[in-house]
Amino acid sequence: MITLALSKGRIFDDSLPLLRAAGIEVLEDPEKSRKLIIGTSRPDLRVVLVRATDVPTYVEHGGADLGVAGLDVLLEHGDGLYRPLDLKIARCRMSVAVRADFDYAAAVRQGSRIRVATKYTHQARQHFASKGVHVDLIKLYGSMELAPLTGLADAIVDLVSTGSTLKANHLVEVEKIMDISSRLVVNPAALKIKRVALRALIDAFEAAVGQGS
Ligand code: ATP
Ligand code: MG
């Protein structure tokens, strides 16, 4: 049996066409069913539904053989996973955003300490260190946009796609840190033990990504 870890929402939705192109149908709609383990048209492949940030943990510790996770989540998680493929889904960027009335460039130029709220503390620390900008990082788990509006922080590091959430909250994107997309990750031990089956699946995903772009 091969176990694939996916998260509900955009990663599941964007993985479906790739699975389909690989000849695999998922047998249940996670939005309608409460099941956390769902079968597929391939009797030897099942999908487990976990939180997006838990996908690397499941794959690293063998709760799943492979999974789909955003680069943002993977970089915060750290090493320990084989990352064979950029699936080019759930694309967005990690950026710095500030309140429209905060002069970020001036704060950087003057060498001020900037208070930055984010879920991505590792990436943020690395980014500002590489620029030589002094920051106080404030770890949050959600709704980063609220932090500058309430005075909790001067800036946020968050994911941006269209920018409409930032705009709705009177925030402006001032710096892109990196492009983000979702990656296929594989448990290295599973890849040895179930090499033939996993290799075939990875190849099928790779072919499906190629068709899409
Ligand atoms: P939740 O929203 O349930 O708290 P989450 O934010 O971890 O959990 P998703 O919103 O489904 O889960 O995001 C999953 C992945 O999709 C992220 O890790 C990121 O790689 C990508 N992503 C997040 N926001 C966007 C976006 N606005 N546009 C495109 N991709 C995004
Ligand atoms: Mg989200």
Side-chain angles (χ1 to χ4, degrees), residues 7-11 51-53 69-73 90-92 119-120 159-161 180-182:
S7 54
K8 272 209 234 183
R10 75 184 99 230
I11 289 201
R51 280 296 292 264
T53 41
L71 182 62
D72 51 316
V73 166
R91 291 171 105 149
C92 53
K119 183 161 137 182
Y120 305 104
L159 301 179
V160 184
S161 51
I180 299 287
S181 57
S182 284

Side-chain angles (χ1 to χ4, degrees), residues 39-53:
T40 73
S41 54
R42 259 182 66 170
D44 67 333
L45 177 70
R46 62 180 186 173
V47 170
V48 291
L49 296 171
V50 302
R51 280 296 292 264
T53 41

Side-chain angles (χ1 to χ4, degrees), residues 4-211:
L4 169 68
L6 297 176
S7 54
K8 272 209 234 183
R10 75 184 99 230
I11 289 201
F12 182 88
D13 298 345
D14 291 0
S15 295
L16 276 189
L18 293 177
L19 286 165
R20 199 162 289 146
I24 300 159
E25 291 292 333
V26 179
L27 299 181
E28 230 142 340
D29 176 356
E31 299 303 332
K32 291 189 186 131
S33 139
R34 286 162 178 264
K35 284 192 188 164
L36 296 176
I37 302 182
I38 44 187
T40 73
S41 54
R42 259 182 66 170
D44 67 333
L45 177 70
R46 62 180 186 173
V47 170
V48 291
L49 296 171
V50 302
R51 280 296 292 264
T53 41
D54 290 337
V55 168
T57 307
Y58 269 80
V59 175
E60 180 169 3
H61 298 286
D65 300 304
L66 69 179
V68 177
L71 182 62
D72 51 316
V73 166
L74 293 172
L75 293 175
E76 284 298 306
H77 179 82
D79 286 337
L81 295 166
Y82 174 52
R83 221 197 286 171
L85 204 56
D86 181 355
L87 298 174
K88 301 183 179 167
I89 58 171
R91 291 171 105 149
C92 53
R93 54 195 184 272
M94 188 181 288
S95 291
V96 182
V98 299
R99 242 165 67 166
D101 59 4
F102 180 79
D103 192 342
Y104 176 72
V108 168
R109 207 166 44 236
Q110 290 157 13
S112 320
R113 278 196 98 78
I114 301 175
R115 291 169 308 149
V116 179
T118 186
K119 183 161 137 182
Y120 305 104
T121 46
H122 289 108
Q123 293 322 298
R125 181 170 291 114
Q126 219 167 54
H127 172 72
F128 292 110
S130 76
K131 289 189 46 148
V133 174
H134 299 289
V135 292
D136 289 320
L137 291 173
I138 302 166
K139 170 87 183 183
L140 289 179
Y141 293 89
S143 301
M144 263 82 82
E145 312 82 38
L146 194 56
L149 305 181
T150 54
L152 178 68
D154 305 309
I156 59 172
V157 168
D158 199 2
L159 301 179
V160 184
S161 51
T162 62
S164 56
T165 305
L166 292 182
K167 202 167 173 202
N169 290 293
H170 311 288
L171 301 175
V172 289
E173 186 178 0
V174 287
E175 204 161 70
K176 178 170 102 174
I177 298 177
M178 69 179 89
D179 288 310
I180 299 287
S181 57
S182 284
R183 312 297 162 107
L184 187 66
V185 287
V186 183
N187 176 287
L191 191 59
K192 285 197 188 118
I193 300 161
K194 307 179 187 176
R195 201 179 63 83
V196 175
L198 285 178
R199 202 65 250 179
L201 196 55
I202 295 165
D203 290 347
F205 268 115
E206 187 162 18
V209 175
Q211 285 166 23

